[in-house]
Amino acid sequence: MSTPSLERDRTTTEPRGNGRWINHWTPEDPDFWNRTGKRVAWRNLWLSVLAEHLGFNVWTLMSIVVVSLDDVGYSFTVGQTFWLLILPNLVGAALRIPYTFAIPRFGGRGWTTTSASLLLIPCAMLAGAVTFDGTPYWFFLLTAAAMGVGGGNFSSSMTNISFFFPERRKGLALGINAAGGNIGVAVSQLLVPFAIHLGTGVNLSYAALMWMPVIIVSAACSWSFMNSLTVAKPDNTSYRKAVTSKHTPVMALLYIGSFGSFIGFSFAFPSLIGIVFSEFSGFTGVAFVGALIGSVARPFGGWLSDRLGGARITFWNFVGLALGTLGALLGVRAENFAVFFTSFVLLFVLTGIGNGSTYRMIPLIFKVETSERVRRTGEDEDLAQKAAKRQSGAVVGIVGSIGAFGGVVINLVFKFSLQANGTLVPALLAILVFFLACVLTTWWFYVRSRFAIERFPNLAHAHI
């Protein structure tokens, strides 16, 4: 017979509606974590990775399809093409905030199942758009907008997983979760071109149909094997504090520089190769390399941040991004495709590392700030840190949403630069200036020793 203490330590699951909710979750307790927490957390992580991965597969579909629309009789201008790239970014970014708040409302299990199932809608729309002759441009725009539901998955997935893991494991876990999603860009860019050329001619409908069975399997697995945590229930005070925290806009700016750049470059890279270096248009088939390397680099950024500090890694990462942009600029000016391609691959690597390091900073900023407040005020440490976790979870969603809007801005900059000047030079100059601004912002708020000592006296131990 179990003792009361063991009952308190056991992970208990109680039904709520049609869901399966875990009411006791203390991953910071080593005994709890090693006995039951680790197994449950990693199971939920891998299922979250699958659903989020499919979200990115669908989110980026249009960026691959547009390259082949000419082959099936659709001749869109540069401006029209870029709007097909911008709309998924725009809708995906806008959905990230409500997707974040869906986790406390519906639970990780329920919302992961729902968000995965929604991916069937844009797939069906794309299959119809490219199957019937004479599909109007407005329907392609509507289809591109519907693909934005895949972009929303990221925030809900990251918010959900952030509650499952202890602080010492969170950087790696969030890095794996994010990388599993991000790599969906590369997988689509690699597999979709092969799929659409199966058989004779170009079969663009295969780009959508190939994902639909996997989406159904993912939704079924999420419903059958995932859990929801009551610790992630809504806390209006904590969420209001998250929205009004001065760290939220700062971290959002930095995430625009990392993830916004990653997703913006990922959507545009195949088209940029074909437009700017048309004689190398055959290389659009290897554009997946950039997104692949950037995705793999993301957990490395989280791992480095766990050991060296997220702020330090983020600072030097933006220095590298500025240098990589300078290399791409030189490649365009010299009409040297090798320099341009290599520089963009470097940019993908660094945006991946920056994605991991910036996200790692968020929970630690709130953890350390809360610890210092508790030390001054004497409030209950456990309750304060639970509220801090909810705050950081909300900030993850807000920052993820605003960061995704960076992809919209980058594609708009590319669009206007190519339309107005016929070259990428003005766009790359603007991006270079922005990266330099991110370098200064990171240094000013999180690297300066004076600020670190006064604002976060435990900074050296917390590795913000």
Side-chain angles (χ1 to χ4, degrees):
M1 181 175 178
S2 300
T3 65
S5 61
L6 286 177
E7 287 295 332
R8 284 194 300 269
D9 287 341
R10 182 177 295 131
T11 302
T12 59
T13 301
E14 296 180 1
R16 177 178 299 180
N18 292 325
R20 187 173 57 185
W21 290 76
I22 295 177
N23 295 316
H24 178 77
W25 190 256
T26 54
E28 302 296 344
D29 177 1
D31 291 337
F32 172 87
W33 177 252
N34 290 326
R35 186 173 64 250
T36 56
K38 180 165 60 176
R39 172 178 53 81
V40 174
W42 281 98
R43 184 182 70 236
N44 280 270
L45 172 61
W46 293 124
L47 290 170
S48 175
V49 166
L50 175 59
E52 188 192 350
H53 177 88
L54 289 168
F56 273 82
N57 289 147
V58 173
W59 194 20
T60 57
L61 265 184
M62 190 60 77
S63 68
I64 308 161
V65 169
V66 294
V67 178
S68 300
L69 285 177
D70 281 349
D71 298 333
V72 293
Y74 294 97
S75 299
F76 297 140
T77 65
V78 170
Q80 289 176 315
T81 297
F82 268 94
W83 277 117
L84 292 176
L85 303 179
I86 290 166
L87 272 179
N89 265 284
L90 185 62
V91 174
L95 287 177
R96 285 188 168 199
I97 291 180
Y99 268 53
T100 298
F101 291 100
I103 291 297
R105 177 67 181 83
F106 301 104
R109 173 185 179 240
W111 187 249
T112 302
T113 303
T114 300
S115 60
S117 300
L118 288 174
L119 299 174
L120 293 170
I121 296 173
C123 286
M125 292 177 69
L126 178 61
V130 297
T131 298
F132 300 104
D133 294 334
T135 301
Y137 177 67
W138 65 262
F139 191 81
F140 277 99
L141 287 175
L142 190 61
T143 302
M147 289 176 180
V149 298
N153 286 12
F154 177 85
S155 284
S156 57
S157 179
M158 293 292 279
T159 300
N160 184 43
I161 293 304
S162 71
F163 287 102
F164 276 95
F165 284 81
E167 291 297 333
R168 66 186 182 278
R169 305 279 185 177
K170 197 165 288 186
L172 178 61
L174 291 178
I176 291 173
N177 190 58
N182 291 173
I183 207 170
V185 180
V187 170
S188 283
Q189 290 179 346
L190 173 63
L191 296 183
V192 170
F194 285 106
I196 64 178
H197 288 95
L198 289 175
T200 58
V202 178
N203 301 288
L204 290 182
S205 62
Y206 294 173
L209 298 175
M210 64 185 288
W211 302 115
M212 296 178 79
V214 192
I215 291 169
I216 294 171
V217 170
S218 174
C221 288
S222 298
W223 183 252
S224 301
F225 302 113
M226 288 189 74
N227 302 99
S228 300
L229 301 178
T230 55
V231 71
K233 288 187 298 183
D235 178 344
N236 292 333
T237 300
S238 297
Y239 277 69
R240 185 171 61 252
K241 288 180 179 179
V243 172
T244 58
S245 170
K246 67 180 181 181
H247 295 290
T248 301
V250 176
M251 293 307 303
L253 175 68
L254 300 183
Y255 201 58
I256 287 173
S258 57
F259 180 77
S261 299
F262 171 81
I263 199 65
F265 293 157
S266 296
F267 272 76
F269 196 35
S271 295
L272 291 181
I273 293 175
I275 294 171
V276 180
F277 292 92
S278 56
E279 66 274 25
F280 293 95
S281 58
F283 279 81
T284 56
V286 297
F288 76 91
V289 171
L292 175 63
I293 296 176
S295 302
V296 172
R298 180 155 191 162
F300 182 64
W303 179 83
L304 277 178
S305 299
D306 283 340
R307 285 151 181 78
L308 301 176
R312 189 181 305 168
I313 298 301
T314 299
F315 173 81
W316 288 109
N317 202 67
F318 279 123
V319 172
L321 283 167
L323 294 175
T325 305
L326 185 60
L329 181 61
L330 293 174
V332 171
R333 283 189 176 278
E335 298 183 355
N336 189 316
F337 177 73
V339 172
F340 174 82
F341 188 88
T342 303
S343 297
F344 253 92
V345 170
L346 174 63
L347 290 173
F348 276 111
V349 172
L350 294 174
T351 54
I353 292 174
N355 287 340
S357 65
T358 50
Y359 250 52
R360 179 56 181 139
M361 291 169 66
I362 294 171
L364 281 174
I365 287 172
F366 285 93
K367 178 180 175 63
V368 174
E369 208 172 33
T370 299
S371 294
E372 295 307 314
R373 188 183 72 249
V374 167
R375 182 180 59 81
R376 293 192 309 270
T377 64
E379 62 183 287
D380 184 271
E381 173 81 21
D382 184 56
L383 291 177
Q385 290 297 348
K386 285 182 178 179
K389 285 186 178 181
R390 293 190 179 105
Q391 284 180 251
S392 65
V395 171
V396 161
I398 295 168
V399 167
S401 175
I402 298 173
F405 276 111
V408 178
V409 174
I410 282 180
N411 278 282
L412 283 171
V413 169
F414 285 148
K415 173 183 178 292
F416 292 135
S417 181
L418 288 169
Q419 281 187 313
N421 303 282
T423 175
L424 279 182
V425 170
L428 292 172
L429 284 172
I431 292 169
L432 173 61
V433 171
F434 175 72
F435 283 146
L436 292 175
C438 289
V439 171
L440 292 175
T441 300
T442 308
W443 175 80
W444 180 264
F445 284 97
Y446 302 113
V447 175
R448 288 186 305 152
S449 59
R450 181 174 179 271
F451 174 87
I453 292 170
E454 291 181 357
R455 184 64 177 164
F456 299 110
N458 293 332
L459 182 61
H461 303 291
H463 289 308
I464 288 178

